[in-house]
Amino acid sequence: MNLSVGIVGLPNVGKSTLFNALLRKQAALAANYPFATIEPNIGIVPVPDERLIRLAEIAKIEHLMSNLPPIKPATVEFVDIAGLVKGASVGAGLGNKFLSHIREVKIIAHVVRAFEDPNVVREGSVDAKSDYETIRTELALSDITTIAASKQKNKRAQELLEKLENTLNKGENVSALESSKEDQEFVRSLNLLSSKPEIIVLNVPEAEYTKEGIVRIEDKYEEILRLPRQGGIAQDDHFVVICAKVEEELAALSGEEQKEYLYDLGLEKSGLERLIQKAYQELGLISFLTAGEKEVRAWTVKKDTNAKSASGEIHTDFIKNFIKAEVVSFDDFVANNGPALRSEATNGWKGSRAAGKTRLEGKDYIVQDGDVIEFKVGR
């Protein structure tokens, strides 16, 4: 599954610094995992998942290997979209080109400047509230143009287009509209920019990038931005607070050095990790795991995906040839639950089977986050 995040915002709000941090992570990833050459404005970064290391250690012992099998985490594609400006919806600053880039991503990471620095010019930027509203307005105006060009012969579809246009003209969020499943499918087919899931990335100064500082910043900007509600739920949970400068420094450090740096700040996870995890949460994604001699890997699927559909993430032929899925939870897979004989594995597939922790599931089984799965397929 392609998880793509578009980084948007006005010029000089910290997008490039954040993206530089992502590129450093991409370089580290490329050193360990084979990826094709990608465009310079796209960064591929791994989804943090410490479970994979434990699975690799078990696979090494279970298969009597001298080295750990290759570890392949799920990945996220970040697209660096050049700074939008007021008037982008009518072409200002090559706006049409940049808006088309946003149309291709699954979710928007909207970077808002929450720092003061006399050395960084506020090009088109005034304050957090007006900056945020400028971008949201340009997305809405672009959508109004899309709607105006989408005349429908179907009466219900045309009525829905007019309703959407009126909603956008009022400055309201189309995602909050109550509609039938069929109407929702039609709206999705329009691929409106303003209805894409959004994470607001508050770029803060280094001095405020602490555990306590993040809480203060979230409270402060929830009040400043006065975000609209979606489905009756306030959007304050859509914030991710980062310091792009710190993230760039972190990306250049080793894993242990990063942990020490974050510990000194009172933080458990970097901003990039929190951003990736928030993207997973907003899009309703989970990871199931595979562990074998050839590789240990995380696979991304939507929540409520059944076993048959999930098998297709590994290979499309698995769907038509699906027989069963052998499933065990991650916790059971890594527990010492098998025969306590030195010649036999006490965890992993052998230990889990011996302890009766594995189960065979059919095509309709709903895959859970952290399931370790071995698919049984025919030919």
Side-chain angles (χ1 to χ4, degrees), residues 14-274:
K15 299 190 313 301
S16 296
T17 306
L18 175 61
F19 192 69
N20 287 340
L22 291 166
L23 287 180
R24 287 177 183 266
K25 279 191 173 290
Q26 175 183 292
L29 180 68
N32 294 291
Y33 311 103
F35 280 95
T37 302
I38 53 180
E39 295 297 323
N41 64 331
I42 297 176
I44 306 290
V45 299
V47 176
D49 197 335
E50 294 183 356
R51 297 174 299 190
L52 296 176
I53 297 174
R54 183 73 182 108
L55 292 184
E57 292 169 345
I58 290 172
K60 174 185 175 182
I61 296 171
E62 190 165 35
H63 296 286
L64 303 177
M65 301 169 67
S66 57
N67 296 308
L68 294 178
I71 298 173
K72 296 187 177 180
T75 57
V76 177
E77 177 183 282
F78 282 90
V79 183
D80 183 26
I81 297 169
L84 296 173
V85 295
K86 188 173 183 179
S89 59
V90 291
L94 297 178
N96 290 329
K97 179 180 179 181
F98 299 147
L99 289 167
S100 70
H101 292 164
I102 300 174
R103 205 171 298 281
E104 301 303 316
V105 302
K106 300 282 188 185
I107 187 168
I108 294 171
H110 186 163
V111 182
V112 176
R113 177 169 172 164
F115 66 89
E116 294 294 336
D117 187 340
N119 297 316
V120 180
V121 178
R122 278 190 176 274
E123 185 179 337
S125 173
V126 180
D127 56 61
K129 183 175 175 61
S130 62
D131 292 357
Y132 176 76
E133 291 175 346
T134 293
I135 298 297
R136 293 302 305 178
T137 297
E138 293 306 320
L139 298 184
L141 289 172
S142 177
D143 286 343
I144 290 172
T145 301
T146 298
I147 291 169
S150 303
K151 301 299 181 184
Q152 299 288 319
K153 294 181 180 179
N154 179 283
K155 183 180 178 181
R156 174 57 190 159
Q158 187 59 39
E159 288 175 349
L160 190 55
L161 286 175
E162 292 171 4
K163 186 176 182 180
L164 289 169
E165 186 172 5
N166 289 335
T167 300
L168 290 168
N169 278 321
K170 292 177 184 176
E172 297 174 357
N173 197 319
V174 296
S175 300
L177 287 177
E178 294 184 8
S179 55
S180 66
K181 186 176 180 180
E182 292 76 15
D183 288 350
Q184 291 171 6
E185 287 293 331
F186 175 70
V187 173
R188 273 194 288 272
S189 72
L190 297 173
N191 197 16
L192 300 178
L193 303 181
S194 60
S195 66
K196 284 185 179 291
E198 177 189 59
I199 301 169
I200 301 172
V201 181
L202 296 170
N203 186 14
V204 304
E206 293 177 75
E208 295 189 66
Y209 201 45
T210 63
K211 185 175 182 178
E212 296 76 14
I214 287 175
V215 173
R216 287 196 302 271
I217 289 288
E218 288 177 338
D219 290 343
K220 175 182 177 181
Y221 281 90
E222 177 187 351
E223 180 66 25
I224 289 174
L225 297 182
R226 294 188 177 278
L227 300 174
R229 290 176 172 263
Q230 289 188 352
I233 301 172
Q235 287 191 16
D236 54 288
D237 190 43
H238 294 207
F239 286 139
V240 173
V241 177
I242 68 161
C243 174
K245 289 178 68 176
V246 169
E247 293 301 320
E248 191 174 25
E249 293 170 5
L250 279 170
L253 302 177
S254 67
E256 283 302 314
E257 289 172 330
Q258 286 184 27
K259 288 180 180 178
E260 290 178 12
Y261 195 154
L262 290 169
Y263 179 81
D264 290 340
L265 296 173
L267 302 176
E268 295 181 2
K269 298 176 182 177
S270 71
L272 295 182
E273 289 177 310
R274 287 182 279 111

